[in-house]
């Protein structure tokens, strides 16, 4: 390229850097010098047609300014402008003053071949009472945007350096204050290791910290067992009753125990005060460790607010949680509050730097907590879910059905028999109602009496459909009596 072309390209690159839009094209600028401009004009036009035809550029898509595109492709501005003009003349593109150049609305792409259907892309049920997620419409978009602007605008440059495996100091400090105030957790910032999720936290602890035999609740979250077992440890079921896990039944070979004491999932009961004391005694007597997943801890509707078990034994309890229920499973932020002796071992087992979590998201969450926006969001959503819970309870009461597990959390349990559970699940599938069988949560080796029924997640349905969804569920239960 000659000096004049270099000068033109460098000047154009300055414009592209500030105003351009990335556009990937199957286009090569090199070739014989003779006739290069005409050939590039023709090839660029053909590349743009192909992008429109195969759907990479859809109707109404805005193209980068021709100056930016010329700079990106290393061609003269006039060549790019001429290619745009050719496509405008042919009707592929339209250009309006102040609106830029766009793909014409009448242009349609060749429809792609349908992809194979998979669980990752499966359409959710029409009446979606599946568990494990909050209401997507309650994500605090405005608060998140405000916190992002403030966090990024005030963060020092060092905040964007490679982060140590412990995670952002700003979020660990904010979490220490929040968890102490909201959940009664006794922790300092240097006891916290940030992770992307609870499942990740369990993998991090297994087997080096938890040992090879981990006691778990006989009916519990499948991802708990999967995270532990895929790391080579065995899970041993502990029976449940109306007071939570039966601590006296923890097998002697167990080196640690995993509990959901505030709101046992899925039954919804809380671990009784006597058993809270008993499990702390067990850990100290056996040199074992208790892992507390504070599942649904923020969403307690009864007046008797149940605090974290960790406060009874911060030296023997590893406390874990995440924002998957309070914000969204898509915000990948979780945490471990560890006894001091375990912090460095757990943190540095991740490597020399944070390998997975988004430090930027951690800074944003820290700002939301420090500004009070996170607390306000929790209060708003708690009232939202309480109203949903009350509406569901009232609708079921009208047809003579009582529910359990409703003092907190985002699901209710409808107990029934094994035969009726099977019939209800079959009918729910036929009617496109998403519910989960209570027996699904059972540990394969559980020895206590099996539990059957439906687990109904009332957080998931959209606001516009909730009344209709509840009516469909009550109709199902009325019909399959």
């Amino acid at each position: 390229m000659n000096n004049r072309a270099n000068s033109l390209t460098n000047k154009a690159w300055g414009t592209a850097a500030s105003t351009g839009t990335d556009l990937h094209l199957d286009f090569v600028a090199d070739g014989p010098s003779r006739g290069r401009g005409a050939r590039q004009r023709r090839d660029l036009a053909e590349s743009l047609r192909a992008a429109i035809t195969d759907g990479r550029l859809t109707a109404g898509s805005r193209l980068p300014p021709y100056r930016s595109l010329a700079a990106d492709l290393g061609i003269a501005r006039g060549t790019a402008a001429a290619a745009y003009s050719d496509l405008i003349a042919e009707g592929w593109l339209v250009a309006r003053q102040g609106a830029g150049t766009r793909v014409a609305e009448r242009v349609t792409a060749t429809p792609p071949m349908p992809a194979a259907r998979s669980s990752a892309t499966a359409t959710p049920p029409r009446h979606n009472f599946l568990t494990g997620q909050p209401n997507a419409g309650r994500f605090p978009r405005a608060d998140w945007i405000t916190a992002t602007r403030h966090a990024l605008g005030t963060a020092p440059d060092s905040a964007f350096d490679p982060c140590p495996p412990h995670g952002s100091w700003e979020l660990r400090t904010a979490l220490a204050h929040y968890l102490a105030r909201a959940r009664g957790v006794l922790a300092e910032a240097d006891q916290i290791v940030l992770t992307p999720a609870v499942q990740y936290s369990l993998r991090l602890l297994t087997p080096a910290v938890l040992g090879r035999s981990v006691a778990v609740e006989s009916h519990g979250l499948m991802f708990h067992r999967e995270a532990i077992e895929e790391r080579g440890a065995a899970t041993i079921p502990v029976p449940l009753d109306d007071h939570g896990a039966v601590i006296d039944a923890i097998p002697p070979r167990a080196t640690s125990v995993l509990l959901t004491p505030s709101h046992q999932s899925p039954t919804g009961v809380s671990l009784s005060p006597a058993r809270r004391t008993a499990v702390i005694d067990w850990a100290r007597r056996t040199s074992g460790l208790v892992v507390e997943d504070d599942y649904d801890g923020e969403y307690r509707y009864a007046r008797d607010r149940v605090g974290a078990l960790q406060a009874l034994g911060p030296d023997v309890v590893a406390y874990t949680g995440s924002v998957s229920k309070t914000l969204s499973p898509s915000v990948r932020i979780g945490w471990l509050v560890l006894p001091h002796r375990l912090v460095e071992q757990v943190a540095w087992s991740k490597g020399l730097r944070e390998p997975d979590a988004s430090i930027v998201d951690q800074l944003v969450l820290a700002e939301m907590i420090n500004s009070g926006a996170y607390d306000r969001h929790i209060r708003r959503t708690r009232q939202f879910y309480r109203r949903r819970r009350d509406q569901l309870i009232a609708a079921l009461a009208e047809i003579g059905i009582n529910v359990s597990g409703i003092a907190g959390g985002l699901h209710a349990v409808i107990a029934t028999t094994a035969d009726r559970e099977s019939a209800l699940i079959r009918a729910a599938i036929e009617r496109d109602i998403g519910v989960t069988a209570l027996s699904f949560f059972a540990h394969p080796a559980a020895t206590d009496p099996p539990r059957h029924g439906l687990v109904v997640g009332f957080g998931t349905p959209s606001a516009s459909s909730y009344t209709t969804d509840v009516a469909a569920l009550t109709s199902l239960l009325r019909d399959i009596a």
Side-chain angles (χ1 to χ4, degrees):
M1 187 180 291
N2 59 34
N3 289 337
R4 181 174 180 274
N6 268 326
S7 176
L8 286 171
T9 299
N10 289 339
K11 184 177 179 181
W13 178 252
T15 303
S18 60
T19 64
T21 305
D22 285 341
L23 176 61
H24 175 75
L25 296 172
D26 298 323
F27 176 85
V28 179
D30 296 335
S33 58
R34 184 174 182 179
R36 177 182 294 168
R39 185 178 62 256
Q40 289 177 339
R41 172 179 177 173
R42 182 178 63 253
D43 290 348
L44 177 56
E46 183 57 36
S47 295
L48 288 166
R49 289 190 198 94
I52 296 170
T53 301
D54 65 21
R56 282 177 287 153
L57 286 173
T58 58
S61 296
R62 183 168 182 168
L63 273 65
Y66 71 85
R67 296 178 180 84
S68 300
L69 186 61
D72 289 342
L73 300 177
I75 62 178
R77 294 182 186 179
T79 301
Y84 275 18
S85 296
D86 291 344
L87 295 177
I88 290 170
E90 294 172 10
W92 292 89
L93 304 178
V94 293
R96 295 186 179 89
Q97 186 70 30
T101 304
R102 299 178 182 271
V103 177
E105 292 291 343
R106 67 180 182 82
V107 176
T108 57
T110 302
M113 293 295 290
R117 187 179 179 87
S118 69
S119 59
T121 58
T123 303
R126 179 182 177 188
H127 307 290
N128 189 356
F129 290 100
L130 298 177
T131 62
Q133 66 186 65
N135 186 273
R138 308 306 295 180
F139 185 83
R141 299 173 190 244
D143 289 337
W144 188 265
I145 291 169
T146 300
T148 300
R149 288 183 181 136
H150 190 271
L152 299 187
T154 59
D157 292 346
S158 60
F160 306 102
D161 288 338
C163 185
H166 306 69
S168 157
W169 177 256
E170 290 84 355
L171 180 54
R172 286 188 285 147
T173 302
L175 271 175
H177 293 298
Y178 170 77
L179 293 174
R181 173 170 45 79
R183 301 297 303 132
V185 173
L186 300 180
E188 299 170 357
D190 60 5
Q191 287 179 256
I192 298 176
V193 175
L194 299 177
T195 71
V198 169
Q199 189 167 11
Y200 184 105
S201 297
L202 295 176
R203 292 193 188 113
L204 204 58
L205 295 173
T206 310
V209 173
L210 299 186
R212 295 287 179 180
S213 298
V214 183
V216 298
E217 295 155 333
S218 64
H219 289 67
L221 298 168
M222 182 174 288
F223 80 81
H224 281 171
R225 301 198 299 270
E226 290 175 345
I228 293 167
E229 291 171 356
E230 71 185 14
R231 298 284 291 178
T235 59
I236 313 165
V238 177
L240 289 169
D241 62 20
D242 292 341
H243 304 286
V246 181
I247 304 305
D248 290 343
I250 296 176
R253 68 183 184 279
T255 52
S256 55
V257 59
L258 170 60
L259 302 173
T260 51
S262 294
H263 187 247
Q264 200 282 325
S265 182
T267 65
V269 301
S270 297
L271 191 65
S272 70
R275 290 186 183 177
R276 286 174 165 243
T277 301
V279 77
I280 299 300
D281 291 343
W282 170 88
R284 290 177 176 154
R285 185 179 67 253
T286 63
S287 298
L289 184 74
V290 180
V291 180
E292 175 183 11
D293 181 356
D294 197 16
Y295 195 79
D296 289 337
E298 286 93 347
Y299 293 124
R300 188 80 183 172
Y301 311 119
R303 292 185 180 275
D304 56 330
R305 301 291 295 277
V306 180
L309 171 68
Q310 187 266 0
L312 294 179
D315 57 320
V316 292
V317 176
Y319 174 95
T320 185
S322 75
V323 297
S324 65
K325 289 293 189 70
T326 58
L327 290 177
S328 166
S330 297
V331 179
R332 307 298 291 161
I333 300 178
W335 49 83
L336 278 165
V337 180
L338 296 162
H340 283 288
R341 70 181 187 278
L342 296 176
V343 174
E344 296 306 306
Q345 175 188 350
V346 172
W348 292 107
S349 69
K350 296 167 72 176
L352 295 178
R353 55 193 282 187
E354 171 55 64
D356 297 297
S358 167
I359 304 304
V360 172
D361 284 353
Q362 291 179 7
L363 293 174
V364 174
L365 180 58
E367 170 58 26
M368 284 191 66
I369 293 172
N370 291 333
S371 69
Y374 188 68
D375 281 88
R376 291 192 295 273
H377 169 71
I378 295 295
R379 287 195 295 272
R380 288 194 302 265
T381 52
R382 187 185 293 129
Q383 291 302 315
F384 173 80
Y385 293 129
R386 184 199 297 270
R387 289 192 296 271
R388 287 197 156 202
R389 181 203 67 159
D390 293 348
Q391 182 177 346
L392 176 65
I393 293 171
L396 295 177
E398 288 182 0
I399 59 173
I401 292 178
N402 295 320
V403 296
S404 60
I406 54 173
L410 304 182
H411 71 264
V413 177
I414 303 172
T416 186
T417 63
D419 289 344
R420 190 164 183 241
E421 180 191 80
S422 299
L424 284 166
I425 292 298
R426 287 195 300 270
I429 293 171
E430 293 172 359
R431 302 186 189 195
D432 208 9
I433 301 173
V435 288
T436 309
L438 181 56
S439 60
F440 170 81
F441 295 89
H443 191 289
T447 58
D448 48 329
R451 296 167 181 262
H452 298 282
L454 297 184
V455 181
V456 180
F458 54 79
T460 310
S462 67
S464 61
S465 69
Y466 187 65
T467 298
T468 302
D469 295 330
V470 170
L473 178 65
T474 54
S475 177
L476 167 73
L477 293 165
R478 185 188 300 111
D479 294 346
I480 312 299

